[in-house]
């Protein structure tokens, strides 16, 4: 899974090396429930990824590589210099309905297959995150708007994501846990972190991930090193499937 389009550089899908024979997901970053100044829109999501990632380019990369799926990631850390956070909508049904319609049209326009949940900041106390997001994914899947849904918890956000996964795990396909935030330095530490997250979520849905320069892999930054880690990871996956 490759996040793409978050940093504003004019990144393109066809620069990224893609091997046949593995499932490859581009995660367009980000669809955000806010206006360009960061004011919440009560569930009405708009696309804020690099404008080089057009609907036509999504259709083209999927035609060239039948193993590619494309998704929209919801929220992310910030817009401009405003930090984004889950806010508890006053009317949860209205939020879910707005999110469903806005995402449905965005997903149809961009030929997307699914959504990734990447809220990164939460209120201190109880929140309606698990309920609203769980119902949203359920509805999008029930109406066949999406075929895949993933969640992207990290070190300090596991609690709301565990609540979401416990209640709506049936409609969540993969847990795109951001292992770089656990800051392990040795293989043994990584193994322990993986075991902990597998226990909190589901070992069969948990994806390994790793750190490049203090972050997860993302296409925007990888262009500068010739997509070294994308190539290595895919080699590794291909080698392991042939064993
Ligand atoms: C938080 O808990 C209080 C008390 O149980 C409840 O009234 C309120 O609706 C909850 N808020 C959310 C957003 O779930
Ligand atoms: C959608 O929900 C309805 C009502 O619960 C159910 O009968 C139907 O099988 C669901 N469809 C899909 C594709 O999940
Ligand atoms: C994959 O297998 C080839 C052939 O055995 C080997 O040369 C290459 O180093 C392997 N790559 C990885 C990432 O394991």
């Amino acid at each position: 899974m490759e996040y793409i389009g978050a940093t504003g550089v004019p990144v393109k899908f066809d620069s990224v090396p893609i091997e046949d024979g593995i499932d490859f997901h581009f995660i367009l970053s980000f669809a955000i429930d806010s206006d360009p100044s960061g004011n919440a829109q009560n569930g009405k999501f708009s696309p804020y990824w690099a404008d080089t990632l057009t609907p036509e380019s999504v259709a083209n990369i999927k035609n060239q590589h039948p193993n590619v799926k494309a998704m929209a990631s919801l929220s992310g850390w910030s817009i401009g210099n405003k930090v984004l956070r889950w806010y508890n909508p006053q009317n949860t049904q209205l939020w879910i309905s707005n999110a469903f319609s806005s995402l449905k049209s965005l997903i149809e326009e961009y030929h997307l297959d699914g959504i990734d949940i990447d809220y990164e900041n939460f209120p201190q106390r109880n929140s309606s995150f698990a309920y609203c997001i769980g119902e949203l994914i359920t509805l999008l899947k029930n109406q066949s708007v999406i075929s895949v849904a993933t969640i992207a918890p990290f070190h300090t956000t596991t609690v709301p994501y565990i609540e979401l996964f416990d209640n709506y795990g049936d409609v969540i396909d993969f847990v795109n846990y951001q292992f770089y935030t656990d800051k392990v330095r040795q293989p043994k530490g990584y193994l322990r972190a993986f075991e902990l997250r597998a226990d909190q979520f589901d070992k069969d849905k948990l994806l390994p991930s790793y750190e490049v320069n203090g972050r997860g892999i993302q296409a925007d930054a990888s262009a500068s090193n010739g997509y070294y880690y994308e190539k290595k990871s895919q080699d590794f996956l291909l080698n392991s499937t042939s064993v």
Side-chain angles (χ1 to χ4, degrees), residues 32-74:
I32 307 177
D33 168 17
S34 88
D35 69 9
S37 318
N39 302 305
Q41 298 296 303
N42 202 17
K44 292 178 191 143
F45 284 83
S46 305
Y48 287 99
W49 48 75
D51 54 19
T52 41
L53 306 175
T54 60
E56 296 69 35
S57 68
V58 176
N60 285 341
I61 199 73
K62 286 170 66 173
N63 281 337
Q64 285 166 40
H65 298 278
N67 56 323
V68 164
K69 287 186 176 169
M71 307 167 66
S73 187
L74 305 194

Side-chain angles (χ1 to χ4, degrees), residues 207-229:
L207 303 174
S209 64
Y210 53 100
E211 176 198 318
V212 180
N213 298 328
R215 301 197 54 177
I217 303 182
Q218 38 141 345
D220 300 34
S222 296
S224 62
N225 68 1
Y227 297 95
Y228 176 85
Y229 292 102

Side-chain angles (χ1 to χ4, degrees), residues 28-201:
L28 283 71
S29 315
F30 289 94
I32 307 177
D33 168 17
S34 88
D35 69 9
S37 318
N39 302 305
Q41 298 296 303
N42 202 17
K44 292 178 191 143
F45 284 83
S46 305
Y48 287 99
W49 48 75
D51 54 19
T52 41
L53 306 175
T54 60
E56 296 69 35
S57 68
V58 176
N60 285 341
I61 199 73
K62 286 170 66 173
N63 281 337
Q64 285 166 40
H65 298 278
N67 56 323
V68 164
K69 287 186 176 169
M71 307 167 66
S73 187
L74 305 194
S75 188
W77 182 267
S78 59
I79 185 164
N81 50 21
K82 184 146 184 201
V83 172
L84 296 163
R85 53 186 59 251
W86 176 259
Y87 61 94
N88 291 322
Q90 283 190 348
N91 180 336
T92 51
Q93 297 313 314
L94 183 59
W95 189 92
I96 293 164
S97 152
N98 285 343
F100 176 80
S101 350
S102 59
L103 288 170
K104 182 173 190 278
S105 48
L106 198 150
I107 285 160
E108 285 169 356
E109 180 186 356
Y110 279 86
H111 316 286
L112 304 180
D113 303 282
I115 59 170
D116 172 62
I117 308 302
D118 191 39
Y119 279 85
E120 303 192 23
N121 295 286
F122 294 88
Q124 289 285 320
R125 288 305 196 95
N126 63 340
S127 98
S128 50
F129 170 75
Y131 174 74
C132 291
I133 295 293
E135 291 296 318
L136 172 64
I137 297 172
T138 304
L139 199 56
L140 288 166
K141 282 208 163 173
N142 182 276
Q143 300 296 304
S144 304
V145 178
I146 61 169
S147 59
V148 55
T150 62
I151 59 175
F154 65 90
H155 193 78
T156 54
T157 61
T158 50
V159 170
Y161 280 97
I162 289 171
E163 186 189 354
L164 172 61
F165 195 81
D166 281 351
N167 294 327
Y168 296 93
D170 288 354
V171 290
I172 296 168
D173 299 278
F174 298 107
V175 178
N176 194 6
Y177 183 81
Q178 304 294 299
F179 278 100
Y180 74 92
T181 62
D182 284 343
K183 302 201 186 312
V184 296
R185 290 284 167 260
Q186 301 292 331
K188 256 191 183 161
Y190 190 94
L191 188 59
R192 274 198 298 272
F194 196 90
E195 284 169 346
L196 171 65
R197 305 314 172 186
D199 195 44
Q200 290 173 328
F201 295 96

Side-chain angles (χ1 to χ4, degrees), residues 232 235-236 239:
K232 280 282 183 197
D235 276 357
F236 176 77
N239 280 11

Side-chain angles (χ1 to χ4, degrees), residues 231-239:
K231 288 178 182 157
K232 280 282 183 197
S233 329
Q234 292 181 82
D235 276 357
F236 176 77
L237 287 172
L238 283 170
N239 280 11

